[in-house]
């Protein structure tokens, strides 16, 4: 198993320290088009621990933007992404929760969240990211990143903060006020739909 790990990440040697990366964790909130890309790129970088959170199921309309494919239609997005992570790194530890982060008991995070973990908010709403930064990032001392697209991918935004000494995600959202065009959940508009 260790030789397989060395072979898989041999091209990262000198760029990323594979043994160090194996101990790193990523709590990914939202496993859609952005979250699936982030998760798989982190797996390729050698991150060894994942906690995937998303209650949505893969549909045909997801395929054009998602890292998973037609064979995953009908699966939870977390399951589909977990399978792809394990195809990249069979030694990775991957936990999944098929619901919104606000619905997960905080005790579920105790064994996963620590100073070697980062939160990446990729959900299609701000509420999950706000919750994660305040209830997990600040409590466990973890860096936080929020990545989101505005409606119809007109623009995007990336926010990051360290647990101490930087404005929180709530400060960023308050400063934006009504100027943000970030789409919220269940506001899907597709070609031919009347908005």
């Amino acid at each position: 198993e260790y030789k397989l790990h060395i072979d898989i990440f041999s091209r990262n040697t000198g760029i990323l320290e594979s043994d160090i990366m194996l101990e790193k964790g990523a709590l990914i909130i939202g496993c859609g088009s952005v979250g699936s890309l982030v998760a798989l790129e982190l797996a390729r970088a050698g991150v060894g621990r994942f906690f995937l959170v998303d209650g949505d199921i893969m549909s045909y309309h997801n395929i054009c933007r998602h890292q998973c494919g037609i064979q995953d239609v009908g699966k939870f997005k977390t399951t589909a992404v977990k399978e792809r992570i394990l195809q990249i790194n069979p030694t990775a530890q991957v936990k999944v929760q098929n619901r919104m982060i606000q619905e997960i008991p905080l005790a579920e995070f105790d064994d996963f969240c620590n100073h070697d973990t980062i939160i990446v908010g990729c959900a299609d709403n701000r509420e999950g990211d706000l919750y994660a930064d305040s209830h997990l990032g600040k409590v466990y001392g973890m860096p936080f990143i929020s990545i989101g697209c505005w409606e119809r991918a007109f623009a995007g935004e990336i926010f990051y903060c360290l647990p101490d000494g930087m404005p929180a995600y709530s400060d960023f959202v308050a400063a934006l006020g009504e100027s943000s065009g970030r789409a919220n959940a269940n506001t899907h508009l597709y070609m031919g739909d009347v908005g």
Side-chain angles (χ1 to χ4, degrees):
E1 189 170 294
Y2 185 70
K3 175 148 179 24
L4 175 64
H5 174 75
I6 289 174
D7 287 345
I8 289 172
F9 297 107
S10 63
R11 303 216 53 181
N12 290 353
T13 303
I15 301 170
L16 301 168
E17 293 301 327
S18 298
D19 290 340
I20 293 171
M21 294 301 289
L22 191 60
E23 300 301 317
K24 301 297 182 187
L27 168 58
I28 299 181
I29 306 163
C31 292
S33 55
V34 175
S36 64
L37 177 64
V38 169
L40 297 186
E41 289 304 314
L42 288 174
R44 288 182 180 98
V47 170
R49 299 182 307 110
F50 294 87
F51 196 139
L52 308 175
V53 178
D54 194 316
D56 202 8
I57 293 175
M58 281 289 294
S59 298
Y60 289 108
H61 67 260
N62 298 127
I63 295 171
C64 67
R65 297 181 321 267
H66 204 276
Q67 296 301 302
C68 298
I70 200 163
Q71 71 276 13
D72 299 304
V73 170
K75 294 179 184 176
F76 279 104
K77 289 179 181 177
T78 54
T79 301
V81 173
K82 176 181 179 176
E83 290 171 358
R84 293 300 177 286
I85 289 169
L86 294 174
Q87 288 172 358
I88 295 166
N89 179 4
T91 66
Q93 300 169 24
V94 187
K95 284 181 72 166
V96 300
Q97 281 283 342
N98 299 319
R99 50 188 162 168
M100 295 186 341
I101 192 149
Q102 302 94 311
E103 299 172 350
I104 302 171
L106 290 173
E108 289 282 321
F109 299 100
D110 286 343
D111 292 339
F112 186 82
C113 295
N114 59 41
H115 67 279
D116 282 331
T117 308
I118 189 169
I119 302 170
V120 185
C122 305
D124 53 6
N125 64 73
R126 291 192 187 283
E127 291 75 22
D129 290 0
L130 285 164
Y131 180 88
D133 185 36
S134 63
H135 289 82
L136 299 171
K138 301 297 183 242
V139 172
Y140 292 97
M142 298 183 299
F144 172 80
I145 298 173
S146 174
I147 306 169
C149 290
W150 291 18
E151 195 164 335
R152 293 193 180 269
F154 167 75
E157 59 191 43
I158 299 173
F159 172 86
Y160 74 93
C161 66
L162 299 175
D164 296 310
M166 294 182 76
Y169 185 63
S170 57
D171 299 323
F172 169 70
V173 171
L176 276 178
E178 297 297 318
S179 67
S180 173
R182 186 163 171 187
N184 274 330
N186 301 320
T187 58
H188 304 292
L189 294 174
Y190 304 104
M191 294 294 290
D193 287 356
V194 176

